[in-house]
Amino acid sequence: MNCNKPFRLSAITIAMMTLLSQAQAQVASNPDTNAATTATAAPGKADEVQQVVVTGNARNGGQRKIDASYSITTANEEQLKQAAPSSTADLLKIVPGIYAESSGGNAGANIGVRGFPIDGDAPFVTIQMNGSPLFPPPTLSFLEGSSLFRIDDTIERVEVLRGGPSPIFSNGQPGATMNFLLKKGRDVAEGSLRATVGTGNLRRIDGYYSGKIADGWYGSIGGFYRVAQGVRDGQYPADQGGQITTSVTRKLDQGELTFYARTVNDKNTFYTGVPLISASSAGGKPTAFPGFDPLTGSLYSNELRNVALEVGPGQVLNKDLANGRGLQANLFGVDFSQSINGWNISNKLNHFSGDAPTLAIFTGNSPVSMSSYINSAISSANGQANVVAAAGGKQAVSGTATYLNGGAAVAGDQQVMSAGIWSVEKKLSSFTDELRISKEIVKDHTFTAGLYYADYSSKDMWYLGNSVLMTATANARPINVQLNNGVIVSGNGHDGASFYTLNENFSAQNTAFYLADEWKINDRIRVDAGVRTENRRLNGVISNPKSVDLDNNPLTLYNNSASVLSGSNTPVDRSDNEVSYTLGGNYKVSENFSLFARLNSGFALPQFDTIRDNGVNAPVTKVKQYEIGLKSVSEYFSAYLTFFHNTFTGLPFQQFLADGRNVNAIGGSSGSGLEFEVAARPVKNFQISLSGAYQKSKYENYGTNTGNEVKRQPKLQFRLSPSYRIPFDNGDIKLYGTYTHVDARFADAENQQSLPKYYTLDAGILVGLGDNLEFRLVGTNLTNQLGLTEGNSRVIGSGSSVVFARPIFGRAIEASVLYRF
């Protein structure tokens, strides 16, 4: 990287100077003085009354959630476990206004925020650890932020901020910021071991330990390891790997310094669409394709697992699909805060590096019978003069199909399909640093100045396509096809080579400066404003592909038109300067009831892939948001309501089609809606909560799609969650469940591929015995509902009677035992 040295050293220099100056200082007898982690409810009040949040505000100690003039959802360790997320993205189901498609597995989610229009991935969601972004761009092609994070027992809580002042702080994310806060060591040592088993032969171990190292010094270590065949059985482990996280904290006089590190080595299968029979009427649900269970079926198989990809003349790339869409990465961070004579200083930095590859099956066109496939191949081959000439002038009149493994003949009525083995190698590196200084310079005005710097890069090697002819069945089998004139349509299972080969190296440096002012007008009214100016310098090199016949043999159709590197490259150099701002206010009606309003204007700079696809002059996406909300908390009831409206301009759109074409467009949108989080506690030990959002968003200035609904996001989604605690001598039992409703959506901007509404039912039981033992049993999608989260994103329009879509996972059960010590 090319980090600016002053930025690189800012946190370490300030922290170490303060640490040395206080080496002999008296450390407070209670180490847990951070307001964000020790606030407790007053007697007779709900626990959340005094809950403090640190995300989205400039205060070192944070502020009460109910006093924050923006929308933020929080979840503690128990709430994280109760949600039973299948991945980091799946946890976002507890956040109103966010719709996460986590049906692809542990990585590669699509996440929409408040009707923000997206093509896929998660361009408006930033993942943070301890307030620092893991990787500054929230999305690149074949990468979204949640894929870089794994949840385990080292997490104390998560805070998810939507809109609000987020365009000002950190990396200036205008959408949602998901901030995971690590546990820290305390005076009293604590530890836990948790063993989990579940559907798909899941086996997982989690561990955590923390405590006091020396006077003023505290440490923690934890992590997990798991292996799982997967709810969708691909005949080999879908998920295998784990991570370790450590931290060391030094308590200072009026401050704190924490060093933390994480290493991850995880492999995850990535699932795309499966074949379905389309609904016979509008709004109806597709049904299962014959012989393929959409809830548990997977195209992956041992016969497909090890693939040989021809990537150039005489060049073969051997790949193992078990490596999937995984992560091998290391993260190191420093979190420092200090108060000195009324000046509050904080600095957060981290360094992330690693590999985030994608090796997966990507589906395309609809299945056909083996006979129809051969007939189409005959027609295509006979229509190519060079192929007929290479066959001695003989045209094909028939063909044979055999299984690659064993050589048995494939029946003519067997349904078959071509699906690509896409290989993407992605090496990532980033360094971020954010320095904040705040002080009440003028009475009742607390001014904050901040400096943010990021240096990040991505080095990619893509081979897209590499289609394999396979049976349209669970655990598909590859097929070879040869015509009677010597033409080989499918060789070694492949009926196509790479249609898009790319080698690109990008790097960028962002420097931002912001000012914020919080004005306490009186005990009831508080307003805040902020402005941010940001500069980004981006440069890169993009390869120029060419099409060749890999073996110079026209008779081998499967590699006659392969995309390979040409040896020439296109340099890219671009500089951006943008300004964002926010203005908000909070009116405290009573101690635990407040109203707020806010407007902000933010932006999303075109990232590496957007510039590659739309040119160096790709527009900046501009986002304006308006919010009005209320927050009320009492012993028996709590409510968080936010009305929002947003507008977009300069929105890029990208779509890879099954034939290799890449469709790009620029447009905009607008949307309005209501987010709600309410809970009632009518009697002791019982709570019922309702959270969700209603929104309507439409495309604007989007060509023929103007006025259409923004794709992939439901108008209405909600979660109804009751829970009941039954105390008994030396323990208690907690029963809980969740009913989730997701409205109908469209899979495409054309509003032709309808995704029907669906619901799921989850339930769990938690049994605590004394202070040490805890047993948990949880089930998700207990009624085996067929819910679709994605249509065939590589086909524009409604398609045929047989379609591809990606269903949610079928019923899954997990059981765990936790021992605390």
Side-chain angles (χ1 to χ4, degrees):
M1 292 186 303
N2 183 28
C3 297
N4 187 316
K5 190 174 181 180
F7 287 100
R8 183 192 291 272
L9 297 178
S10 60
I12 298 175
T13 302
I14 295 173
M16 294 309 297
M17 287 178 64
T18 305
L19 182 61
L20 290 171
S21 69
Q22 298 191 1
Q24 304 300 320
Q26 178 69 33
V27 178
S29 59
N30 179 8
D32 306 317
T33 57
N34 190 317
T37 60
T38 61
T40 57
K45 297 291 184 182
D47 291 342
E48 63 186 290
V49 169
Q50 299 298 331
Q51 187 174 11
V52 172
V53 294
V54 297
T55 308
N57 64 79
R59 299 184 180 191
N60 280 352
Q63 64 183 133
R64 288 200 315 165
K65 178 180 177 180
I66 195 172
D67 295 332
S69 55
Y70 49 84
S71 299
I72 188 166
T73 296
T74 59
N76 58 29
E77 183 180 10
E78 169 54 27
Q79 290 168 324
L80 292 175
K81 293 177 182 176
Q82 185 171 315
S86 60
S87 64
T88 302
D90 190 47
L91 178 61
L92 287 166
K93 63 191 177 185
I94 71 173
V95 182
I98 295 182
Y99 179 62
E101 298 176 353
S102 55
S103 53
N106 269 275
N110 300 310
I111 308 173
V113 181
R114 286 184 168 179
F116 285 22
I118 64 169
D119 178 41
D121 297 312
F124 298 106
V125 179
T126 289
I127 307 298
Q128 294 184 343
M129 179 186 283
N130 283 353
S132 292
L134 294 183
F135 193 69
T139 283
L140 300 176
S141 291
F142 302 100
L143 177 77
E144 48 79 33
S146 76
S147 298
L148 303 179
F149 193 88
R150 305 290 186 270
I151 299 173
D152 62 16
D153 290 351
T154 64
I155 303 301
E156 178 186 89
R157 72 185 192 280
V158 64
E159 300 178 352
V160 185
L161 166 67
R162 286 96 65 203
S166 57
I168 304 303
F169 304 115
S170 188
N171 64 330
Q173 171 61 262
T177 298
M178 191 180 196
N179 185 17
F180 289 93
L181 299 163
L182 294 173
K183 295 177 182 176
K184 300 175 183 177
R186 302 177 180 178
D187 271 336
V188 179
E190 63 174 345
S192 65
L193 284 174
R194 179 161 59 105
T196 304
V197 297
T199 303
N201 202 27
L202 169 67
R203 301 291 186 271
R204 174 167 172 150
I205 294 292
D206 287 78
Y208 176 76
Y209 184 78
S210 68
K212 186 174 182 179
I213 300 173
D215 285 347
W217 291 90
Y218 303 87
S220 71
I221 185 170
F224 77 90
Y225 180 83
R226 64 96 173 77
V227 59
Q229 200 76 2
V231 177
R232 300 186 180 278
D233 185 9
Q235 299 183 334
Y236 52 83
D239 302 300
Q240 186 170 12
Q243 69 184 13
I244 297 176
T245 306
T246 62
S247 73
V248 175
T249 298
R250 168 61 164 156
K251 293 290 183 178
L252 308 171
D253 185 13
Q254 302 184 64
E256 185 177 275
L257 172 65
T258 297
F259 300 91
Y260 60 91
R262 169 173 284 193
T263 183
V264 186
N265 189 344
D266 201 19
K267 300 176 182 179
N268 313 111
T269 295
F270 178 64
Y271 303 100
T272 53
V274 302
L276 295 161
I277 303 298
S278 63
S280 57
S281 60
K285 282 190 176 183
T287 55
F289 187 77
F292 201 110
D293 187 338
L295 294 173
T296 60
S298 168
L299 292 170
Y300 292 95
S301 67
N302 281 327
E303 289 191 41
L304 287 172
R305 175 174 174 174
N306 295 296
V307 294
L309 307 180
E310 286 191 86
V311 298
Q315 294 178 294
V316 176
L317 195 64
N318 293 304
K319 291 283 189 176
D320 182 355
L321 280 168
N323 291 329
R325 194 166 185 170
L327 176 67
Q328 300 83 44
N330 296 300
L331 173 72
F332 172 76
V334 181
D335 189 359
F336 169 73
S337 63
Q338 180 67 53
S339 295
I340 304 175
N341 297 325
W343 292 86
N344 294 311
I345 303 170
S346 73
N347 201 108
K348 299 177 183 294
L349 71 78
N350 71 17
H351 178 270
F352 174 91
S353 63
D355 297 333
T358 295
L359 182 65
I361 297 175
F362 285 79
T363 52
N365 293 323
S366 300
V368 297
S369 69
M370 188 74 258
S371 295
S372 296
Y373 180 93
I374 291 176
N375 289 336
S376 295
I378 291 172
S379 178
S380 176
N382 289 343
Q384 300 176 54
N386 65 321
V387 174
V388 175
K394 182 181 179 181
Q395 292 196 338
V397 295
S398 65
T400 58
T402 57
Y403 289 109
L404 176 62
N405 185 16
V410 181
D413 60 355
Q414 172 65 55
Q415 293 289 305
V416 300
M417 53 184 278
S418 293
I421 307 294
W422 291 18
S423 172
V424 175
E425 298 174 5
K426 188 178 289 286
K427 294 185 178 295
L428 305 172
S429 182
S430 78
F431 170 85
T432 67
D433 186 282
E434 184 179 15
L435 172 67
R436 298 184 191 180
I437 301 175
S438 62
K439 181 177 174 57
E440 185 179 6
I441 298 176
V442 179
K443 180 175 173 52
D444 294 326
H445 284 268
T446 300
F447 290 92
T448 299
L451 201 56
Y452 170 81
Y453 178 78
D455 186 323
Y456 50 97
S457 64
S458 177
K459 298 180 180 180
D460 290 23
M461 187 70 234
W462 298 13
Y463 300 101
L464 307 189
N466 309 298
S467 64
V468 173
L469 178 62
M470 63 184 71
T471 57
T473 60
N475 307 133
R477 304 187 64 188
I479 298 169
N480 286 334
V481 172
Q482 183 168 343
L483 305 185
N484 70 320
N485 63 345
V487 170
I488 301 175
V489 179
S490 173
N492 198 29
H494 285 277
D495 63 350
S498 174
F499 63 64
Y500 186 58
T501 297
L502 172 72
N503 183 10
E504 68 175 14
N505 296 322
F506 273 107
S507 64
Q509 298 80 41
N510 291 45
T511 304
F513 175 71
Y514 58 83
L515 292 173
D517 175 31
E518 183 181 279
W519 179 21
K520 183 179 180 182
I521 298 176
N522 55 44
D523 290 340
R524 290 183 178 270
I525 302 175
R526 188 180 67 253
V527 297
D528 66 89
V531 62
R532 172 191 179 104
T533 178
E534 183 165 359
N535 170 266
R536 184 195 61 184
R537 183 64 186 238
L538 177 150
N539 58 78
V541 176
I542 306 170
S543 65
N544 300 315
K546 65 179 181 180
S547 181
V548 301
D549 183 340
L550 291 179
D551 59 5
N552 288 316
N553 181 2
L555 296 179
T556 53
L557 297 184
Y558 58 89
N559 64 11
N560 282 359
S561 300
S563 173
V564 299
L565 300 178
S566 67
S568 67
N569 300 288
T570 299
V572 175
D573 194 346
R574 170 170 169 154
S575 182
D576 290 277
N577 290 279
E578 294 293 338
V579 175
S580 57
Y581 62 84
T582 186
L583 175 63
N586 190 82
Y587 176 68
K588 185 183 292 186
V589 179
S590 65
E591 181 63 20
N592 298 314
F593 177 34
S594 64
L595 305 172
F596 72 88
R598 181 171 296 276
L599 68 87
N600 71 46
S601 176
F603 57 86
L605 296 172
Q607 294 300 338
F608 304 153
D609 307 285
T610 307
I611 291 174
R612 180 195 64 234
D613 295 327
N614 296 280
V616 72
N617 296 317
V620 175
T621 299
K622 300 292 183 69
V623 186
K624 285 191 176 181
Q625 299 182 77
Y626 308 85
E627 302 171 67
I628 299 175
L630 68 83
K631 301 181 180 184
S632 179
V633 179
S634 71
E635 183 177 356
Y636 300 105
F637 182 83
S638 61
Y640 302 88
L641 305 176
T642 303
F643 298 88
F644 63 85
H645 175 74
N646 56 58
T647 61
F648 278 74
T649 59
L651 183 73
F653 168 78
Q654 178 192 34
Q655 187 175 28
F656 283 108
L657 304 185
D659 61 5
R661 286 182 298 137
N662 187 4
V663 177
N664 295 282
I666 301 293
S669 74
S670 66
S672 302
L674 168 67
E675 297 174 340
F676 50 89
E677 288 182 275
V678 296
R681 296 172 283 270
V683 297
K684 187 176 181 180
N685 297 325
F686 175 75
Q687 174 175 289
I688 184 166
S689 61
L690 176 67
S691 66
Y694 177 82
Q695 61 87 23
K696 293 182 67 175
S697 299
K698 294 185 179 297
Y699 291 109
E700 295 181 342
N701 302 316
Y702 222 65
T704 58
N705 296 326
T706 298
N708 288 353
E709 292 182 18
V710 167
K711 69 176 184 177
R712 301 173 87 147
Q713 297 193 53
K715 287 185 179 179
L716 174 66
Q717 59 171 323
F718 65 84
R719 288 166 49 88
L720 183 65
S721 304
S723 65
Y724 183 61
R725 177 177 170 269
I726 307 170
F728 59 86
D729 291 343
N730 199 37
D732 58 12
I733 298 174
K734 184 178 182 180
L735 306 173
Y736 57 91
T738 297
Y739 172 87
T740 300
H741 170 89
V742 176
D743 247 2
R745 296 132 288 131
F746 287 105
D748 57 347
E750 291 74 22
N751 286 186
Q752 295 182 32
Q753 296 183 31
S754 177
L755 300 175
K757 65 182 179 181
Y758 68 90
Y759 79 90
T760 59
L761 183 63
D762 308 332
I765 179 171
L766 173 64
V767 180
L769 298 178
D771 296 329
N772 303 107
L773 276 177
E774 178 181 289
F775 299 90
R776 187 185 302 269
L777 180 66
V778 61
T780 56
N781 195 11
L782 292 174
T783 57
N784 253 342
Q785 293 300 302
L786 176 58
L788 304 180
T789 62
E790 180 182 280
N792 193 341
S793 59
R794 279 159 290 284
V795 175
I796 292 179
S798 58
S800 63
S801 60
V802 180
V803 297
F804 279 96
R806 188 166 65 186
I808 60 176
F809 293 104
R811 181 188 301 113
I813 308 295
E814 288 186 13
S816 66
V817 57
L818 173 71
Y819 177 71
R820 293 188 179 91
F821 55 91

